[in-house]
Amino acid sequence: MMSILPHSSPCRRFCGSAALSAVLLAASFGALNTPLLAPIAHAQTAAATSSADPWWKHAVIYEIYPRSYQDSNGDGIGDLNGITSRLGYLQHLGIDAIWIAPMYPSPQVDTGYDISNYEAVDPTYGTLADMQRLITEGQQHHVRVILDMVLNHTSDKDPWFVEAASSRTDPKHDWYCWNDGIPANSPGVTDYQKKNEQTGLDGKKVVPPNNWVSGFGGSAWQWVPAVHQFYYHEFFKQQPDLNWRNPAVEKAMFDSMRFWLDKGVAGFRLDAIPNLFEDPQLRNNPVLGGVNRNGDPKVGDKYTNNLPEVHDVIRRMRAMVASYPGDRVLIGETYLPSTSELDVWYGGAAHNELQLPMDMLVGFHGDHDKLDATTFRKHIEEVETQVHGSQPLIVFDNHDNKRAIDRYGDGVHDDLINKLLATVLFTTKDTALMYYGEELGMHTTPQPKRSMDVPPGVPKPDGRDGERTPMQWTAGPQAGFSTNPHTWLPVAPDFKSVNVATESKDPNSELSWFEQIIALRRDNAAIRNGNVTMLDTSNPSVLSYVRTTDSGPAVVVATNFTATPQTVTLNLAGSGVNGSTVKTLAADDPSLKSISTLKNVTLPPYTSWVASVQ
Ligand code: GLC
Ligand code: CA
């Protein structure tokens, strides 16, 4: 999933009616996001039930990379108090919940995804009291706090692992996935396994038991001389996988989740959740031939990913979380090959697993992200109709991939393409997940080196630093991110024009578009709740659909996925809508503002148009 794009220079093209945008902007200032949150329970209340229409069904969830959002104490690194200071901005933008990437104590080998204490805050980011204040002030701003929960592995510096690796008889030893290795001369042992040859307890040569490779490069097996055993790690070797076949692991992790639920977090984003279990027989993964991007033999993940055992854990976790009031939510990092696989993560017809496993098929197409209306239509329709009525969660951007504006942008119409992706994200019936800076059109800025010192063993730079640069607040020093010129990653060079202060003054900016469309999603009954019917379904260039509801006018959305003007006639016959006169609610080209019928509507390149039907 990791890739680096050469830095493309931002093209900012502003068009559209300032007057309309200004009205919508004013409307979004006035309105409240959501009703006040239910009071937070500080202790578990048994048998709380979930509402028929939980908040997360309509939510806009905003991912924050805490290191990069706002520095409050001048050390060049973002922190929790920095996030708290920006709650007003988030509320104004219309954000219902923030998901904060790991802020727990960590050696930062994988920038926080290597946790060494699940029930504390890394001093770099603040204190537990700061977190409690963020949660409480978040409530006042109608912004819920969702934490990242890394269950597949801990840091190798976590006291659990330190104990586990100290002796085979340590009570925590079996909390991780150990193996003695197999004789180096066993049949079928590959040269790759032989490169990791060690001396076993009996003095004989041993190699890792199979061909599993780490997703982050190298063998997935790391030798520990003290115990004469290998341990398994899906990610960096500093991230040993936990042994979820040991019930003590589940208990410890659920306890940590309760620790935060008791503090009032609204739920969790479950990191790498399909990776929890590995094949107990340790069978070789299928050999695919050739080498992968890390130079390791290319093998599949049949025996290391998405094993059925994980679902028992998830069902128990769902029941545990459901015992808290307030519709706490479980979101999954679920890169899966098909919608039918995704449905399993909801619990299928039983609806008893994750409320919101991420759909990665609409927004991420591997290395071939392409604005293709047919592909988008297919994936959106699938996830809306083939998950037993569960709620889809779509996402285009995160901290692991080149930013969507660079994956989908053409370097010429990037601002319009970013607005188009936002239109799709916020006007379907799906729950929307966005990434900080997406609302500004922040670009991926590949990093030749990190600015601040990183701990030993950290890949320098991490290939994903480009999408993790500091948030761009102003055109001033360090883009308003920090008072310290030595920020952990440099501020992206386009910050003078791509920043909150500048864009909020421009009714045609990407930020103003995000505000308008999020406000529509909140205030317009059809967009908030309506059914979806795809229109003009054989059109390869324009994605269009109508949202219908009993409680207000229908809304038509049309987006031109190409660099040439497209003329469409949208026929609502099959959608049960009678009207044919339309009124533009939002459009990013002036020519679309005064359209009054659905016949022969010409959409300029990459434009988006949202209109109500009278
Ligand atoms: C997830 C995270 C990623 C991390 C990995 C290992 O994919 O999103 O950033 O490196 O898990 O925890
Ligand atoms: Ca700081």
Side-chain angles (χ1 to χ4, degrees):
M1 298 317 303
M2 291 159 282
S3 49
I4 309 185
L5 182 91
H7 180 227
S8 58
S9 62
C11 160
R12 309 188 55 73
R13 191 186 119 186
F14 301 126
C15 52
S17 144
L20 178 78
S21 303
V23 167
L24 290 164
L25 193 67
S28 73
F29 260 106
L32 288 181
N33 290 347
T34 46
L36 271 172
L37 305 192
I40 295 290
H42 285 275
Q44 183 199 350
T45 343
T49 48
S50 70
S51 334
D53 192 30
W55 65 273
W56 45 261
K57 279 203 171 167
H58 312 286
V60 177
I61 303 172
Y62 183 99
E63 179 189 356
I64 290 183
Y65 207 63
R67 231 178 159 70
S68 297
Y69 203 58
Q70 178 67 63
D71 175 20
S72 74
N73 64 352
D75 64 358
I77 302 177
D79 44 56
L80 296 183
N81 287 340
I83 299 173
T84 306
S85 74
R86 294 299 186 178
L87 285 167
Y89 167 76
L90 293 163
Q91 177 176 13
H92 171 63
L93 180 57
I95 301 306
D96 301 290
I98 51 175
W99 143 34
I100 306 175
M103 75 310 143
Y104 314 92
S106 163
Q108 306 291 343
V109 171
D110 187 11
T111 16
Y113 283 94
D114 48 322
I115 301 173
S116 54
N117 178 355
Y118 282 76
E119 298 181 7
V121 172
D122 193 293
T124 311
Y125 299 136
T127 63
L128 264 181
D130 295 336
M131 175 56 87
Q132 193 66 69
R133 192 166 69 88
L134 171 56
I135 294 169
T136 308
E137 291 197 19
Q139 285 198 297
Q140 288 151 14
H141 288 272
H142 315 289
V143 176
R144 291 167 163 89
V145 175
I146 293 171
L147 295 188
D148 215 311
M149 192 36 70
V150 184
L151 300 174
N152 177 67
H153 49 268
T154 67
S155 161
D156 62 342
K157 298 291 183 299
D158 188 310
W160 294 351
F161 185 76
V162 175
E163 265 189 55
S166 67
S167 140
R168 288 191 186 205
T169 55
D170 186 275
K172 294 240 164 40
H173 188 68
D174 189 46
W175 284 35
Y176 293 84
C177 307
W178 298 98
N179 187 273
D180 294 352
I182 55 172
N185 57 5
S186 308
V189 163
T190 61
D191 289 346
Y192 189 75
Q193 280 163 277
K194 282 189 190 138
K195 280 206 287 188
N196 199 354
E197 189 178 275
Q198 308 290 344
T199 306
L201 209 49
D202 57 5
K204 299 214 172 93
K205 297 289 180 208
V206 292
V207 296
N210 58 28
N211 70 352
W212 298 353
V213 298
S214 154
F216 283 179
S219 167
W221 295 101
Q222 177 68 26
W223 183 254
V224 175
V227 290
H228 288 89
Q229 281 179 314
F230 295 99
Y231 66 84
Y232 172 70
H233 59 94
E234 165 69 30
F235 299 99
F236 290 124
K237 64 173 189 244
Q238 295 89 344
Q239 294 168 297
D241 274 49
L242 285 159
N243 173 16
W244 277 82
R245 297 183 191 277
N246 182 337
V249 167
E250 178 174 311
K251 182 175 181 313
M253 282 305 194
F254 281 21
D255 283 350
S256 291
M257 294 174 81
R258 286 176 185 283
F259 175 86
W260 295 107
L261 289 165
D262 288 339
K263 297 210 170 327
V265 304
F268 300 99
R269 175 265 189 188
L270 304 172
D271 183 70
I273 194 70
N275 288 100
L276 288 203
F277 286 84
E278 294 75 40
D279 181 37
Q281 296 173 50
L282 303 177
R283 280 170 282 190
N284 277 329
N285 269 326
V287 176
L288 304 177
V291 291
N292 66 19
R293 61 164 181 247
N294 300 314
D296 299 315
K298 212 187 232 174
V299 297
D301 60 3
K302 180 171 180 191
Y303 294 116
T304 45
N305 190 12
N306 210 15
L307 268 65
E309 292 92 315
V310 67
H311 296 287
D312 297 327
V313 173
I314 300 297
R315 282 188 287 271
R316 288 191 291 272
M317 188 186 297
R318 170 71 176 263
M320 182 273 283
V321 171
S323 70
Y324 284 79
D327 294 315
R328 318 284 173 111
V329 66
L330 290 172
I331 300 172
E333 187 201 20
T334 39
Y335 288 95
L336 296 165
S338 67
T339 304
S340 57
E341 294 266 354
L342 187 68
D343 184 42
V344 177
W345 280 86
Y346 286 101
H351 303 282
N352 58 357
E353 297 197 24
L354 305 184
Q355 290 97 337
L356 296 174
M358 291 178 201
D359 173 280
M360 307 308 259
L361 297 166
V362 174
F364 297 85
H365 310 122
D367 293 334
H368 309 289
D369 287 329
K370 184 153 115 348
L371 274 187
D372 171 35
T374 307
T375 309
F376 272 66
R377 184 183 300 119
K378 170 179 175 279
H379 284 312
I380 292 170
E381 266 204 305
E382 260 184 38
V383 73
E384 292 188 350
T385 55
Q386 297 177 18
V387 294
H388 288 92
S390 289
Q391 173 69 11
L393 172 63
I394 62 173
V395 49
F396 290 104
D397 241 338
N398 64 27
H399 64 282
D400 290 327
N401 293 277
K402 206 161 67 174
R403 285 182 177 266
I405 194 169
D406 299 308
R407 283 183 287 120
Y408 288 102
D410 65 355
V412 178
H413 304 93
D414 287 3
D415 59 335
L416 283 168
I417 291 170
N418 195 33
K419 290 176 180 178
L420 180 155
L421 293 171
T423 308
V424 174
L425 182 64
F426 301 125
T427 66
T428 58
K429 74 170 189 185
D430 311 340
T431 297
L433 175 54
M434 60 179 286
Y435 184 48
Y436 83 94
E438 190 176 340
E439 71 274 30
L440 306 176
M442 271 176 64
H443 281 267
T444 318
T445 310
Q447 300 297 319
K449 66 179 174 64
R450 286 180 167 177
S451 285
M452 305 201 66
D453 292 337
V454 288
V458 178
K460 295 184 197 181
D462 189 307
R464 299 166 291 178
D465 283 350
E467 54 267 19
R468 299 170 175 181
T469 57
M471 175 69 173
Q472 296 164 203
W473 296 103
T474 69
Q478 291 78 248
F481 162 70
S482 174
T483 53
N484 188 334
H486 192 53
T487 54
W488 86 279
L489 285 180
V491 174
D494 63 8
F495 76 97
K496 293 260 182 206
S497 56
V498 182
N499 67 69
V500 172
T502 306
E503 292 192 37
S504 59
K505 286 193 214 103
D506 177 355
N508 298 317
S509 67
E510 284 151 86
L511 177 58
S512 295
W513 183 258
F514 272 70
E515 284 172 355
Q516 277 183 63
I517 303 294
I518 294 174
L520 274 177
R521 174 189 173 91
R522 185 181 59 226
D523 302 334
N524 180 291
I527 301 181
R528 184 174 166 80
N529 260 329
N531 294 325
V532 187
T533 308
M534 292 289 170
L535 302 172
D536 198 13
T537 52
S538 57
N539 191 325
S541 309
V542 174
L543 176 71
S544 58
Y545 42 90
V546 60
R547 306 285 315 272
T548 53
T549 172
D550 292 339
S551 34
V555 170
V556 165
V557 178
T559 44
N560 178 356
F561 273 54
T562 71
T564 48
Q566 301 290 337
T567 300
V568 291
T569 290
L570 302 175
N571 180 353
L572 302 184
S575 63
V577 180
N578 295 322
S580 58
T581 316
V582 297
K583 194 169 149 270
T584 296
L585 298 172
D588 54 4
D589 189 277
S591 67
L592 294 166
K593 299 282 158 90
S594 51
I595 288 175
S596 58
T597 83
L598 291 166
K599 283 206 184 85
N600 296 321
V601 177
T602 299
L603 298 158
Y606 297 116
T607 50
S608 305
W609 178 58
V610 183
S612 68
V613 186
Q614 317 295 321

